[in-house]
Amino acid sequence: MVDGLIEKISRRKFLGAAAATAAGVMIVKPEAVRGSAANSAVRLGILGCGGRGTAVGTGFVDNTNTRVVALADLFADQLAAAHKHFDEHQAAKGYAAIDPAQLFQGPRAYEQIAASKEVDFILVTTPPYFHPHHLETVVAAGKHVYCEKPVAIDVPGAKRVMRIGEQAQGKLSLEVGFQIRKAPPHVELVKRIHGGALGKIGCGLAYYYCGHIDRPEWPGASAVEKRLRNWVWDRALSGDIIVEQNIHVIDMCNWTLQGHPESAVGGGGRKLRPDTGDCWDNFNLVFTYPGQVQVSFGSTQFNDPAFDAATRFFGTKGNSEVHYDYRVFIVGAEPWDAGLGPAPGSTQFSAAGTFKGSLDQADSEKQKWFVESITSGEFHNQAAQGAESALSAMLGRTAAYTGKLVTWDELLRSEEVLDPNIDISKLA
Ligand SMILES: NC(=O)c1ccc[n+]([C@@H]2O[C@H](COP(=O)([O-])OP(=O)(O)OC[C@H]3O[C@@H](n4cnc5c(N)ncnc54)[C@H](O)[C@@H]3O)[C@@H](O)[C@H]2O)c1
């Protein structure tokens, strides 16, 4: 079964939009369903009301005909802050306040929002450890879902997500939060590379250099609660920085090179982070893609915020260079420049992922594309693609942790489960 699923990754099934042809299709035609234009917005429930959930939820409201109608979070203060934010933000658009019956708090909040009859789609923005289980619950409840990356933090979790993708196929839209794939300058650049603008690609470079991610003090919180609230410092809750954060540029490599790495080798460590967690603060690896295309990869998460995330690819006809915050261009026989200026001191990391520069339109384009998939019935299914990128990042993590060259096939045999050993029912 699993081998078949892995084969599907290789054969690149589910990687694009999938037409809604199967029985049991749930197409949301809001006007038809709810009768009036005033009542026609697609209804969003947010599971995990922190920085990203609030930023992406707000983006859906601003960029599409979407209304936030339900919120769910483990913690009451997080839920209350998001409730206040969305009631205020949506009041300015003439939307009604969120029904208090659609506010779900506690360890079972994910099940309650999934079961709500008031929502059409759910944004999963909880910490990565929970993603496979939350995704499974939402899909089983028949809701469209936009799940943040990484879809999983270990190999069994990634395989589980692929199975969930099979269940959703043709019935629901299942999107994964790699917004860069909808950023117009990046889309154009990758199209040109796929069209041969670089000639034969020989090698590449990818890096994600970022400052330390500070978290609030959380006065009065227990040690366990602090771990959960500071999940981004915790390997078993986040997957470590390479799977949680650096995955964006690894996904960019997979997109550009149209595949996944066959092996990885390298190292890294934890030397300079000031926090109490156990995540590493740097990774330095070589990923080998099909055709012996080697990509040097580096990342940090400890220094002052001299943020830069980038990829470069070198071919027989030219080379490409992409940065989150500024230029996106190709030099060589087929030169092209997205026309973004040099970095105007804009190298400021955004914890919520709301970058300026070349990613300006990434989130808004992705949000429009996703809502259109729901209302048109031309559903997306990015489960396998999301799992493939998560596995690619896990390949690098495993190579760095073991200090050995690790192949894709070896990685896929891993049964290791990252478990934070936290009983969240005790937090109720
Ligand atoms: N695509 C991007 O650019 C981007 C940017 C930032 C974050 N993210 C991703 O978004 C996700 C959330 O990140 P964030 O920065 O918003 O974190 P956050 O800590 O700000 O928010 C997480 C929220 O989930 C809640 N939560 C924790 N466990 C829960 C549970 N079991 N059930 C319900 N709620 C729970 C927390 O209380 C918190 O409100 C992560 O997967 C992260 O990698 C993506």
Side-chain angles (χ1 to χ4, degrees), residues 47-53 72-75 78 106-107 109-110 124-128 130-131 134 148-150 177-179 215 228-229 231 244 248 350-355 363 424:
L47 170 54
C49 301
R52 187 67 179 161
D73 203 283
L74 186 56
F75 296 115
Q78 294 289 104
Y110 73 99
V124 176
T125 37
T126 46
F130 297 104
H131 287 176
H134 288 173
E148 263 306 340
K149 38 53 63 176
F178 291 114
Q179 70 271 34
R215 301 289 285 179
L228 268 169
R229 288 181 180 269
W231 64 267
E244 192 277 319
H248 281 293
S350 161
T354 47
F355 295 97
D363 278 310
I424 60 167

Side-chain angles (χ1 to χ4, degrees), residues 62-393:
D62 290 346
N63 301 317
T64 72
N65 185 23
T66 293
R67 244 176 73 194
V68 175
V69 299
L71 299 169
D73 203 283
L74 186 56
F75 296 115
D77 59 325
Q78 294 289 104
L79 186 66
H83 182 198
K84 181 171 182 295
H85 166 80
F86 283 107
D87 270 0
E88 286 172 3
H89 192 76
Q90 297 193 132
K93 294 181 184 289
Y95 294 160
I98 298 172
D99 178 351
Q102 296 301 313
L103 300 171
F104 307 103
Q105 189 254 312
R108 309 215 78 92
Y110 73 99
E111 292 174 324
Q112 294 163 331
I113 197 167
S116 168
K117 294 200 174 5
E118 300 303 316
V119 304
D120 299 313
F121 83 95
I122 292 183
L123 173 61
V124 176
T125 37
T126 46
Y129 166 75
F130 297 104
H131 287 176
H133 189 57
H134 288 173
L135 191 59
E136 190 169 75
T137 308
V138 169
V139 168
K143 304 294 190 310
H144 303 283
V145 58
Y146 183 114
C147 181
E148 263 306 340
K149 38 53 63 176
V151 292
I153 60 168
D154 51 33
V155 175
K159 290 176 179 172
R160 185 175 169 189
V161 168
M162 287 187 274
R163 288 188 196 99
I164 298 165
E166 288 203 325
Q167 284 151 21
Q169 179 64 16
K171 300 178 193 143
L172 302 168
S173 237
L174 191 167
E175 188 133 330
V176 177
F178 291 114
Q179 70 271 34
I180 197 167
R181 290 197 186 222
K182 293 307 287 180
H186 299 248
V187 170
E188 180 62 24
L189 178 114
V190 172
K191 194 172 104 191
R192 285 168 184 266
I193 294 175
H194 290 172
L198 303 186
K200 186 172 165 54
I201 295 176
C203 61
L205 168 72
Y207 60 77
Y208 201 118
Y209 296 129
C210 179
H212 185 255
I213 299 178
D214 295 327
R215 301 289 285 179
E217 289 291 326
W218 313 115
S222 68
V224 167
E225 187 181 323
K226 277 192 181 169
R227 258 187 89 196
L228 268 169
R229 288 181 180 269
N230 296 333
W231 64 267
V232 77
W233 299 344
D234 193 293
R235 279 200 231 177
L237 287 164
S238 69
D240 213 329
I241 67 169
I242 188 167
V243 174
E244 192 277 319
Q245 183 183 58
N246 314 154
I247 191 171
H248 281 293
V249 294
I250 296 171
D251 177 67
M252 182 83 195
C253 291
N254 286 4
W255 179 24
T256 308
L257 297 175
Q258 301 181 79
H260 59 73
E262 292 175 337
S263 69
V265 63
R270 179 186 171 93
K271 287 178 272 195
L272 300 168
R273 291 181 74 105
D275 58 69
T276 53
D278 59 359
C279 281
W280 282 14
D281 56 30
N282 73 97
F283 282 84
N284 299 284
L285 294 145
V286 174
F287 286 104
T288 300
Y289 280 79
Q292 285 298 307
V293 175
Q294 294 192 317
V295 177
S296 304
F297 166 85
S299 68
T300 59
Q301 201 184 85
F302 63 79
N303 51 348
D304 66 14
F307 175 76
D308 192 10
T311 60
R312 296 193 69 183
F313 293 97
F314 302 86
T316 49
K317 284 167 58 180
N319 69 76
S320 65
E321 187 163 339
V322 163
H323 296 263
Y324 266 27
D325 272 333
Y326 50 109
R327 289 186 70 192
V328 174
F329 62 100
I330 291 172
V331 292
E334 295 180 30
W336 173 79
D337 194 317
L340 303 156
S346 66
T347 54
Q348 190 67 41
F349 173 67
S350 161
T354 47
F355 295 97
K356 291 290 171 196
S358 75
L359 288 190
D360 255 359
Q361 291 168 270
D363 278 310
S364 55
E365 288 301 313
K366 191 163 169 82
Q367 288 152 4
K368 286 185 237 169
W369 191 59
F370 179 60
V371 170
E372 171 65 20
S373 81
I374 296 174
T375 55
S376 68
E378 295 291 318
F379 299 147
H380 302 169
N381 192 329
Q382 300 180 334
Q385 182 191 83
E388 181 180 43
S389 291
L391 287 165
S392 304

